[in-house]
Amino acid sequence: MSNPLSAAVIDWFEHNGRDLPWRRDGFTPWGTLVSEFMLQQTPVQRVLPRLEEWLRRWPTPADLAAAAPGDAVRAWANLGYPRRALWLHRAAEQIVDRHGGVVPDDVDALLALTGIGDYTARAVAVFAYGSRHPVVDTNTRRVIARAVHGNAEPAPPRRSDLADMEALLPDDDVEQAEMNAGLMELGALVCTARRPACEVCPIADQCQWLLAGSPPYAGPRRATQKAYEGSDRHVRGLILAALRGSDTVTAETVEGLWPDPVQRDRALAGLIADGLVVPASDASEPCTRYRLP
DNA sequence: TAACCGTGGAC
DNA sequence: TGTCCAAGGTT
């Protein structure tokens, strides 16, 4: 049984959903898992070429687990948040160790893997294996906030988001997966953050926010994100970009990347603590070079 | 739990 | 031009 909202979303998705690699027949669970890692905070269009290259090079978890972590960081290229590359490599090792090299289909087993949280675990379980779970990402939360709750913007993520989505899921196995994917797609293509295209929205006639006259957001202001320019993240990014470009980088080169020695050292120490950078000491010399793990 | 973690495109 | 945003997760 399916409610009017999910029926409209599913019908729209069947006709308007994008032709993306992870929606094609024959795409593997491992491919789904890799794509979900890459899509964490990185736009679809930037993921596509890196995903294709990654899966050609490491078509199974065992292939990635056998590689050096640094190769994963390098192949991650400019997708951002390079810790995800490290975590994906670690998850591949765990899949080999715990699950015989097969991506698990169980949400709890997926949640136990490094770098996998509420969203990714359910996305893999639903999209790779077809089991029935609410999949809630930022798109889903925004559509539900508007269509169901009548708010212009969603509240910060919370556990009740899963129940909200669960309430919208059809019982049918195929339809629940399409509803999960369709609501995300609707948020990505139509019910966008900045300028929602309500004039073409398939659920406009059911949207509580639109029916209320599209009132502006009334909740508390979200914390504005800190400037990237000049931040520690900026410095980390510069150091890592240099390391992606060559096997090793000298301390002298690192010094040339950023003028402030305190911030530079803090960024480098952070990268080392995260396991993204390794001091490569020569046997006869003090540590003056760095490399990827 | 709030802060932290990259990068680039859109406006 | 600076701000916002993007299929989150970890500590």
Side-chain angles (χ1 to χ4, degrees):
Chain A
M1 171 158 92
S2 124
N3 56 65
L5 190 82
S6 58
V9 170
I10 290 167
D11 182 71
W12 173 86
F13 180 61
E14 288 175 346
H15 293 97
N16 299 277
R18 290 167 292 182
D19 176 28
L20 296 168
W22 45 89
R23 293 177 184 161
R24 291 176 193 152
D25 289 340
F27 204 70
T28 65
W30 169 241
T32 299
L33 189 150
V34 172
S35 73
E36 294 299 349
F37 261 86
M38 291 185 169
L39 287 165
Q40 293 169 2
Q41 299 287 281
T42 300
V44 168
Q45 292 306 319
R46 211 158 8 121
V47 162
L48 294 176
R50 297 286 77 78
L51 176 66
E52 182 186 353
E53 178 183 286
W54 189 287
L55 292 176
R56 195 169 54 234
R57 183 170 180 184
W58 299 302
T60 72
D63 293 319
L64 179 60
D71 287 344
V73 174
R74 196 167 272 118
W76 196 259
N78 64 344
L79 290 180
Y81 292 144
R83 292 192 294 190
R84 289 181 291 157
L86 224 45
W87 292 341
L88 177 53
H89 181 271
R90 194 166 308 152
E93 293 177 327
Q94 293 163 343
I95 290 169
V96 170
D97 291 344
R98 303 172 188 173
H99 306 290
V102 178
V103 175
D105 60 2
D106 177 69
V107 169
D108 288 329
L110 287 161
L111 281 170
L113 301 175
T114 302
I116 292 189
D118 281 333
Y119 165 76
T120 304
R122 289 172 177 77
V124 171
V126 172
F127 301 140
Y129 292 110
S131 55
R132 188 177 185 285
H133 302 279
V135 181
V136 176
D137 78 330
T138 186
N139 291 305
T140 304
R141 294 194 313 104
R142 186 173 53 249
V143 177
I144 290 177
R146 290 172 179 163
V148 177
H149 300 305
N151 300 322
E153 295 179 29
R158 47 174 184 246
R159 297 301 300 181
S160 64
D161 294 337
L162 289 175
D164 281 352
M165 186 62 194
E166 169 72 39
L168 298 178
L169 285 186
D171 293 332
D172 180 80
D173 280 345
V174 174
E175 287 191 353
Q176 65 86 20
E178 290 188 325
M179 180 59 180
N180 275 310
L183 211 59
M184 289 169 59
E185 190 78 337
L186 189 63
L189 299 183
V190 175
C191 192
T192 55
R194 283 199 170 120
R195 193 197 170 296
C198 302
E199 63 278 8
V200 298
C201 180
I203 57 173
D205 62 335
Q206 308 176 56
C207 177
Q208 297 307 308
W209 180 58
L210 193 58
L211 292 174
S214 306
Y217 178 64
R221 300 295 289 183
R222 288 170 316 190
T224 166
Q225 72 177 22
K226 274 198 215 162
Y228 177 72
E229 192 71 24
S231 66
D232 281 10
R233 287 151 80 169
H234 186 179
V235 184
R236 286 169 59 107
L238 291 174
I239 295 172
L240 219 48
L243 275 162
R244 267 188 248 118
S246 53
D247 288 341
T248 67
V249 163
T250 66
E252 189 178 12
T253 298
V254 174
E255 284 175 19
L257 292 174
W258 197 256
D260 177 359
V262 174
Q263 191 180 16
R264 187 207 309 142
D265 289 349
R266 186 170 64 232
L268 184 57
L271 287 169
I272 293 171
D274 288 344
L276 281 165
V277 172
V278 176
S281 60
D282 198 287
S284 60
E285 286 179 349
C287 240
T288 58
R289 304 184 80 88
Y290 302 94
R291 62 176 178 81
L292 294 179

